[in-house]
């Protein structure tokens, strides 16, 4: 019997398992698929502080950013603190950007229009300026999740982190009210606590325990180009992104984040749309991403897109993740609903979760992330 | 009448696509055919411009070229156009292309015929990435293109009926073909199944050609490694057992190696549209079709290799069946809409409309094609030929060791191996390494997901929703 069962071997589950093992807990990670086969394998690896409004998510992001740096030293995965450059198309947007940067209290530098090309030589002409965020980083999320699980298993205790792949959670084992384990496609697994880290499916897993979590899918497409010699130095995106992230709109929103990867490809992402789990490729969405990338970097016009993929962000109505114990089902904890920031926010989430599981004082106030903050589902 | 410029859009100008397009066009349908090549022909009838201008070569090619000319008079041919995506749109199909000058073009039609053929199935082995090592299809393309193989010392290896035409082609082009090493059990050349594939003349021709050039045809043999410093210099030939495990080996010097292990149907356009798939006799995912070559998605047909590999004659017969069926459905829907507008009750869609004799031929050829797939399986023993540093994915330079590392880290299927180790993320999108990665993952190959089936510049992609070139115009 483990101290903790983590449901989900995505980036968030991997971080929860890693920090729990590091805190001395015996952990079993259960996933119905492989490691990183969910949204972690269908998104990007932006670790951003630049795009967050001041508030609890930014706090979480700043903590996570620090933790990412130390994890990157221990783990064997790509982590590039390359910095993010947010650019403004108009003077008005530039003023708003600079205003936001001031409120965030995050390390940044205001970039005048005339200095943009020193930072990014291929940027389009006519932009009004931008803000550079040196802390923004890039991680290869799939490998990071896999390496954290490996590191947790290898470094802490003796087989204290077990991985059970291809095992679907179908229900919970209860002792009275208390959650004491999970029912799975391969029998019951007992544990002192269960962490629901099942991402976009977090609501479904919570429902198995009879509790309501309003997590919905928000679709995103990404374009990948042919490999090129390095051309783009930072993560570059337009300020429109900042307004999209916090948007409640169900309709299509795109504002391309453009960057070169270590493999030489340029990643262009991502759209945001609430269309359920619709997997149909949308040509208009791809066209818009391409148009925005070309508008930022005209030299991309003749570069070929060779792939595209999509994923479903785990999205909560208030755009905050769900982190912490669920008073409605004692013994059940949640770590899901991170929308478009689950990679960036994973280490802080795992770190907080380990503190909550061991009864240590949390580094951050977990109140804003509590699972019972939503109105109950109308019957 | 449908509100589309075309009643049928065909993707693929090989034997299946041309037969389907021509049959439908002869029935009076407005047809467009799209192919990425500069000339019709597909894999088998790939030919030089000279052959097109000066008929009188091989009778089969002449026949094909005649049909191609007949088609050109009756349909819109969009050659040199790569289809990068297909989607459903307003009750029809939108075929998104890139023109030869890299412009976006969307061809819209009421119906679609997928006749996109197949690509080589690649089984990696140490040294397979050396210059001088070719796939069977690559060798064929080289032969039908320029013919720069004269004087080369060549070995042909792998499995399947199509090693023979490759060997005969190489020998005919003046290469010194040292041997054909067939991994399957020995039937001997005289009973070689390719004899039954079509007219005995063609197959006997291959056998005769090999005999004339004194090319030994040896079974239960495989090339298990290629050697060379920068280019192919020699191969290790092994005697193998039924599971393809090595019994013993020797080294053969050569500078050209053509390896074929069969073909993988190219079905991604169908997969994007949600067409049902099944595993063919050889395990390859293929599109499910009914007796009329209809896929499980209304308005979408498939013919030729995407429904199962079986040679050019079967592909052509399937194309004709599809053409008849499309025409029958078109007539039925035209009648139905005429009735509807006059208030008469609608009738359900037409039958398959193909002549019985054609259907009988297809049945026989399909059964034979399946028997062939069973006679030339790829046995798992090839995984034992691999070394840690053998490349699995050429585009991303992923060696076997990295695939195994990904598996150790928790990649339990081909997709997660790709996510952790990158095989299949490059140019070819897994067309080359996909089969091997599935085998290493211990699973049957899954239907490929390639929403961008062919590369497209971002500039063209950006404009692919606003180009007006073939608009969805109402009927004239
Ligand atoms: C297009 C796109 C771009 C993105 N870009 C970024 C970015 O740049 N930066 C960033 O930080 N975030 C980004 N994201 C968001 C990020 O990918 C997610 O927030 C993150 O992956 C969530 O991780 P997770 O571990 O919570 O969920 P997942 O990775 O989805 O893991 C959940 C796991 O739970 C398993 N599971 C579900 N149900 C069960 C069950 N019943 N039994 C057993 N197992 C189960 C699933 O198999 C899955 O493996 C992006 C997302 C998308 C779609
Ligand atoms: C080396 C070799 C030897 C062979 N020998 C024989 C033999 O002796 N006898 C025999 O019967 N068969 C032989 N074959 C098999 C034969 O070539 C095929 O069975 C036949 O070509 C199948 O016809 P098809 O119309 O289905 O596909 P193909 O002929 O492959 O045609 C498909 C066409 O679709 C086009 N296409 C695909 N995707 C796209 C896209 N996205 N956009 C635009 N165009 C696209 C391609 O350019 C191609 O022209 C041989 C094959 C090879 C490789």
């Amino acid at each position: 019997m483990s101290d903790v069962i983590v449901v989900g071997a995505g980036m968030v589950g991997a971080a929860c398992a890693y920090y729990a093992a590091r805190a001395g807990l015996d952990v079993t990670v259960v996933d119905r698929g492989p490691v990183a086969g969910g949204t972690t394998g269908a998104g990007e690896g932006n670790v951003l502080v630049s795009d967050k409004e001041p508030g609890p998510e930014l706090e979480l992001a700043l903590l996570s950013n620090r933790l990412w740096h130390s994890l990157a030293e221990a783990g064997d995965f790509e982590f590039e603190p390359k910095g993010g450059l947010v650019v403004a198309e108009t003077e008005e947007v530039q003023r708003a950007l600079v205003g936001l940067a001031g409120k965030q209290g995050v390390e940044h530098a205001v970039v005048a229009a005339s200095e943009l090309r020193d930072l990014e030589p291929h940027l389009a002409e006519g932009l009004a300026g931008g803000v550079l965020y040196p802390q923004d980083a890039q991680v290869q999320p799939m490998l990071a999740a896999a390496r954290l699980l490996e590191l947790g298993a290898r470094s802490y205790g003796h087989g204290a982190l077990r991985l059970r792949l291809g095992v679907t959670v179908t229900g919970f084992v209860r002792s009275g009210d208390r959650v004491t384990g999970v029912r799975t496609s391969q029998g019951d697994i007992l544990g002192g606590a269960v962490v629901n880290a099942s991402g976009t499916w977090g609501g479904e897993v919570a429902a198995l325990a009879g509790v309501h979590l309003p997590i919905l899918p928000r679709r995103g497409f990404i374009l990948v180009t042919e490999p090129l010699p390095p051309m783009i130095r930072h993560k570059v995106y337009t300020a429109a992104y900042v307004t999209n992230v916090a948007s409640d709109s169900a309709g299509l929103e795109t504002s391309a984040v453009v960057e070169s990867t270590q493999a030489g490809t340029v990643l262009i992402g991502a759209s945001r749309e609430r269309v359920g789990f619709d997997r149909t490729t949308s040509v208009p969405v791809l066209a818009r991403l391409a148009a925005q990338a070309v508008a930022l970097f005209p030299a991309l016009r003749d570069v070929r897109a060779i792939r595209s993929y999509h994923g479903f962000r785990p999205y909560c109505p208030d755009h905050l993740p769900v982190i912490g114990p669920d008073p409605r089902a004692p013994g059940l904890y949640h770590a899901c609903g991170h929308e478009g920031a689950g990679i960036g926010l994973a280490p802080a989430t795992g770190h907080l979760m380990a503190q909550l599981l061991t009864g240590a004082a949390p580094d951050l106030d977990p109140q804003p992330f509590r699972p019972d903050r939503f109105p109950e589902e109308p019957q | 009448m449908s509100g589309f410029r075309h009643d049928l859009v065909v993707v693929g100008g090989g034997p299946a696509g041309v037969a389907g397009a021509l049959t439908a066009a002869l029935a009076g349908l407005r047809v467009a055919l799209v192919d990425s090549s500069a000339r019709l022909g597909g894999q088998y009838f790939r030919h030089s411009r000279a052959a097109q201008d000066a008929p009188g070569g091989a009778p089969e090619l002449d026949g094909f070229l005649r049909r191609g000319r007949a088609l050109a008079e009756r349909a819109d041919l969009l050659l040199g156009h790569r289809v990068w995506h297909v989607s459903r749109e307003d009750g029809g199909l939108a075929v998104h292309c890139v023109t030869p000058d890299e412009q976006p073009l969307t061809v819209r039609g009421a119906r679609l015929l997928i006749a996109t053929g197949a690509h080589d199935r690649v089984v990696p082995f140490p040294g397979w990435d050396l210059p001088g090592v070719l796939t069977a299809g690559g060798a064929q393309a080289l032969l039908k293109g320029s013919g720069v193989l004269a004087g080369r010392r060549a070995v042909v290896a792998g499995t399947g009926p199509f090693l023979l035409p490759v060997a005969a082609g190489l020998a005919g082009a003046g290469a010194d073909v040292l041997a054909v090493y067939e991994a399957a059990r020995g039937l001997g050349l005289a009973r070689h199944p390719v004899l039954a594939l079509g007219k005995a003349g063609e197959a006997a021709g291959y056998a005769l050609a090999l005999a004339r050039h004194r090319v030994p045809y040896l079974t239960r043999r495989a090339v298990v490694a290629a050697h060379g410093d920068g280019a192919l210099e020699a191969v290790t030939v092994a005697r193998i057992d039924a599971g393809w495990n090595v019994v013993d080996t020797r080294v053969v010097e050569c500078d050209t190696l053509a390896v074929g292990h069969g073909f993988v149907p190219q079905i991604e356009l169908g997969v994007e549209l949600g067409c049902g798939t099944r595993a063919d006799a050889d395990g390859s995912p293929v599109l499910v079709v009914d007796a009329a070559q209809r896929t499980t998605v209304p308005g979408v047909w498939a013919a030729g290799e995407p429904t199962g590999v079986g040679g050019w004659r079967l592909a052509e017969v399937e194309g004709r069946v599809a053409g008849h069926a499309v025409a029958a459905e078109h007539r039925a829907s035209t009648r139905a809409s005429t009735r509807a507008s006059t208030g008469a009750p609608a009738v359900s869609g037409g039958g398959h409309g193909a002549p019985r004799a054609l259907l009988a031929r297809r049945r026989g050829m399909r059964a034979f094609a399946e028997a062939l797939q069973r006679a030339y399986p790829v046995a798992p023993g090839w995984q034992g030929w691999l070394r840690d540093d053998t490349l699995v994915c050429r585009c991303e330079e992923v060696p076997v060791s990295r695939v195994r590392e990904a598996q150790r880290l928790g990649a339990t299927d081909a997709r997660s191996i790709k996510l952790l180790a990158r095989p299949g993320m490059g140019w070819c999108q897994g067309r080359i390494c996909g089969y091997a990665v599935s085998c290493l993952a211990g699973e049957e190959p899954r239907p490929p997901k390639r929403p961008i089936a062919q590369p497209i510049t971002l500039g063209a992609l950006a404009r692919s929703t606003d180009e007006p070139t073939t608009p969805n115009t109402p009927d004239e």
Side-chain angles (χ1 to χ4, degrees):
Chain A
M1 180 173 143
S2 298
D3 299 319
V4 189
I5 298 165
V6 176
V7 183
M11 189 65 246
V12 173
C16 289
Y18 169 81
Y19 283 103
R22 211 170 102 163
L25 299 175
D26 214 3
V27 187
T28 299
V29 178
V30 183
D31 200 296
R32 62 182 172 199
V35 165
T39 311
T40 296
E44 290 182 273
N46 299 319
V47 175
L48 303 186
V49 294
S50 53
D51 66 333
K52 313 262 183 309
E53 292 280 339
E57 199 192 1
L58 181 57
E59 301 287 305
L60 198 63
L62 286 167
L63 173 61
S64 230
N65 197 281
R66 284 197 296 281
L67 295 171
W68 265 122
H69 278 268
S70 51
L71 289 176
E73 276 162 34
D76 174 19
F77 54 84
E78 288 170 25
F79 179 82
E80 255 190 297
K82 56 162 78 165
L85 177 63
V86 191
V87 297
E89 277 132 331
T90 64
E91 296 290 343
E92 192 190 342
V93 173
Q94 174 69 358
R95 276 193 297 278
L97 251 189
V98 173
L100 174 67
K103 282 190 289 172
Q104 285 168 321
V106 170
E107 195 184 333
H108 70 273
V110 175
V111 184
S114 60
E115 300 163 344
L116 281 173
R117 298 256 187 106
D118 301 335
L119 291 171
E120 286 293 345
H122 295 280
L123 262 182
E125 280 177 59
L127 292 162
V131 175
L132 178 70
Y133 290 86
Q135 280 166 292
D136 281 357
Q138 169 67 23
V139 65
Q140 206 281 39
M142 294 79 81
L143 213 51
R147 291 288 186 202
L148 275 197
L149 287 170
E150 182 195 34
L151 203 60
R154 200 178 49 206
S155 310
Y156 304 105
H158 305 279
L161 197 168
R162 270 179 299 271
L163 201 50
R164 301 273 312 265
L165 300 175
V167 176
T168 304
V169 170
T170 55
F172 286 88
V173 183
R174 306 293 273 257
S175 158
D177 247 9
R178 226 190 136 67
V179 168
T180 54
V182 289
R183 300 200 184 287
T184 78
S185 53
Q186 307 199 7
D188 293 354
I189 303 175
L190 299 183
V194 177
V195 177
N196 169 19
S198 49
T200 314
W201 302 274
E204 287 170 28
V205 170
L208 296 175
V211 294
H212 172 61
L213 283 188
I215 297 177
L216 292 169
R218 198 173 185 190
R219 184 171 74 175
F221 283 100
I222 291 170
L223 279 173
V224 187
T225 71
E226 61 190 308
L228 305 172
M231 168 183 160
I232 301 166
R233 299 171 184 171
H234 306 84
K235 290 177 178 296
V236 181
Y237 54 98
T238 54
Y241 181 83
V242 177
T243 47
N244 279 353
V245 173
S247 162
D248 285 324
S249 162
L252 169 67
E253 294 166 9
T254 55
S255 72
V257 180
V258 185
E259 70 177 312
S260 298
T261 66
Q262 290 191 358
T265 54
V266 173
L267 281 188
I268 301 159
S271 56
R272 289 167 185 264
E273 250 173 314
R274 277 160 47 198
V275 291
F277 283 104
D278 181 355
R279 296 195 167 274
T280 319
T281 298
S282 163
V283 173
V285 173
L286 298 187
R288 244 163 94 168
L289 286 173
Q292 290 175 344
V294 170
L296 272 178
F297 292 99
L300 288 176
R301 189 182 310 275
D302 299 322
V303 169
R304 280 165 292 196
I306 61 169
R307 288 196 291 130
S308 147
Y309 60 93
H310 65 271
F312 298 95
R313 302 176 186 85
Y315 156 78
C316 285
D318 59 2
H319 305 284
L320 289 180
V322 181
I323 305 170
D326 194 325
R328 300 165 297 180
L332 177 62
Y333 294 69
H334 301 286
C336 49
H338 293 73
E339 197 169 346
I343 306 309
L345 300 178
T349 302
H351 177 71
L352 268 189
M353 184 57 66
Q355 291 177 322
L356 293 168
L357 285 166
T358 55
D363 283 6
L364 273 185
D365 177 10
Q367 274 300 310
F369 310 116
R370 66 186 193 282
D372 57 342
R373 67 183 191 265
F374 306 102
E376 277 305 308
E377 178 130 89
Q379 292 302 303
Chain B
M1 291 291 280
S2 73
F4 292 96
R5 172 93 147 234
H6 297 104
D7 303 312
L8 172 67
V9 181
V10 179
V11 184
V18 167
L22 183 57
T23 305
L26 287 170
L29 276 68
R30 296 160 307 172
V31 177
L33 181 145
V34 188
D35 196 295
S36 52
S37 309
R39 284 182 289 280
L40 295 176
Q43 182 69 259
Y44 189 76
F45 291 119
R46 200 189 294 270
H47 58 277
S48 61
R49 166 157 288 284
Q52 179 169 301
D53 296 343
E60 292 164 347
L61 178 59
D62 279 353
F64 178 84
L65 293 175
R66 246 190 339 269
R67 292 190 290 278
R69 282 191 297 273
L71 182 63
E73 288 164 11
R74 292 170 175 81
D76 292 337
L77 293 189
L78 296 154
L79 297 174
H81 285 59
R82 306 188 305 273
V83 175
W84 70 271
H85 189 72
V86 287
S87 56
R88 297 202 69 89
E89 210 176 72
D90 310 328
L93 280 308
V95 176
H96 304 274
C97 313
V98 185
T99 68
D101 52 354
E102 300 291 332
Q103 297 306 308
L105 173 72
T106 304
V107 184
R108 295 187 166 88
R111 297 169 197 84
L112 172 70
L113 171 58
I114 298 172
T116 44
H119 56 79
D120 283 284
R121 174 158 59 201
V122 174
V123 170
F125 53 89
W128 71 283
D129 51 320
L130 277 172
V133 182
L134 307 166
T135 60
Q140 182 95 338
L142 215 56
L143 284 167
K144 299 204 171 174
S146 49
V148 292
L149 293 158
R152 310 281 293 252
R153 284 171 62 81
V155 162
V156 176
T159 192
F162 303 129
L163 297 185
L164 282 190
V166 173
L170 285 169
D176 181 9
V177 181
L178 304 178
V180 177
Y181 299 114
E182 164 59 64
R185 166 177 96 252
L187 286 175
L189 205 45
R191 288 172 55 210
H192 193 285
V194 88
L195 288 165
L197 242 188
K199 290 189 209 126
E202 164 196 321
Y206 295 142
L208 269 178
L210 293 192
R212 194 169 59 238
H213 291 101
R214 296 188 205 297
V215 177
Y217 177 84
L218 301 165
T219 56
R220 280 276 183 266
R221 301 283 196 297
V223 167
V224 298
H227 315 282
D229 185 8
L232 183 67
E233 292 164 13
V235 294
T236 299
V237 178
R239 278 199 306 144
I240 55 173
D241 65 15
W244 291 24
N245 304 298
V246 173
V247 177
D248 55 34
T249 64
R250 70 196 175 86
V251 171
V252 173
E253 283 180 20
C254 61
D255 56 19
T256 301
L257 168 64
V259 220
H261 288 101
F263 302 97
V264 178
Q266 203 139 262
I267 61 170
E268 57 260 15
L269 298 183
V271 171
E272 274 299 303
L273 288 169
C275 297
T277 62
R278 63 178 178 91
D280 208 7
D282 65 352
S284 293
V286 294
L287 298 179
V288 171
V289 287
D290 67 6
Q293 300 292 139
R294 228 185 252 123
T295 69
T296 59
V297 171
V300 183
W301 278 255
E305 315 287 49
T307 68
V309 170
W312 74 267
R313 287 189 176 81
L314 174 59
E316 191 173 81
V317 168
E318 289 180 353
R320 286 172 62 191
V321 171
H324 283 296
V326 166
E329 207 223 48
H330 172 73
R331 280 192 300 271
S333 72
T334 313
R335 270 200 308 273
S337 64
T338 315
R339 273 205 200 93
S341 62
T342 57
V347 288
S348 60
H352 42 62
R356 266 172 202 290
L358 203 57
L359 299 176
R361 267 181 78 197
R362 184 185 59 183
R363 200 156 44 239
M365 292 165 92
R366 256 201 201 150
F368 184 71
E370 274 175 30
L372 270 190
Q373 289 183 16
R374 293 210 170 82
Y376 295 98
V378 175
W382 63 267
Q383 294 181 40
W385 312 344
L386 302 175
R387 294 193 321 229
D388 277 354
D389 63 351
T390 306
L391 285 189
V392 174
C393 168
R394 267 212 287 227
C395 304
E396 294 288 322
E397 298 186 0
V398 181
V400 169
S401 58
R402 251 202 283 151
V403 170
R404 302 239 156 99
E405 165 81 349
Q407 290 177 300
R408 198 179 57 68
L409 285 173
T412 52
D413 58 10
R415 175 172 174 264
S416 50
I417 290 176
K418 168 174 161 180
L419 292 174
L420 291 183
R422 299 191 63 82
M425 286 208 181
W427 260 114
C428 82
Q429 289 199 71
R431 288 184 176 90
I432 296 174
C433 65
Y435 176 75
V437 173
S438 301
C439 292
L440 292 172
E443 67 186 25
E444 290 267 285
R446 297 199 189 158
K449 293 212 182 92
R450 299 185 187 110
I452 297 187
Q454 295 286 322
I456 173 171
T457 63
L458 292 171
L461 180 51
R463 282 176 288 113
S464 61
T465 40
D466 53 36
E467 45 60 45
T469 334
T470 62
N472 179 5
T473 45
D475 274 0
E476 294 84 358

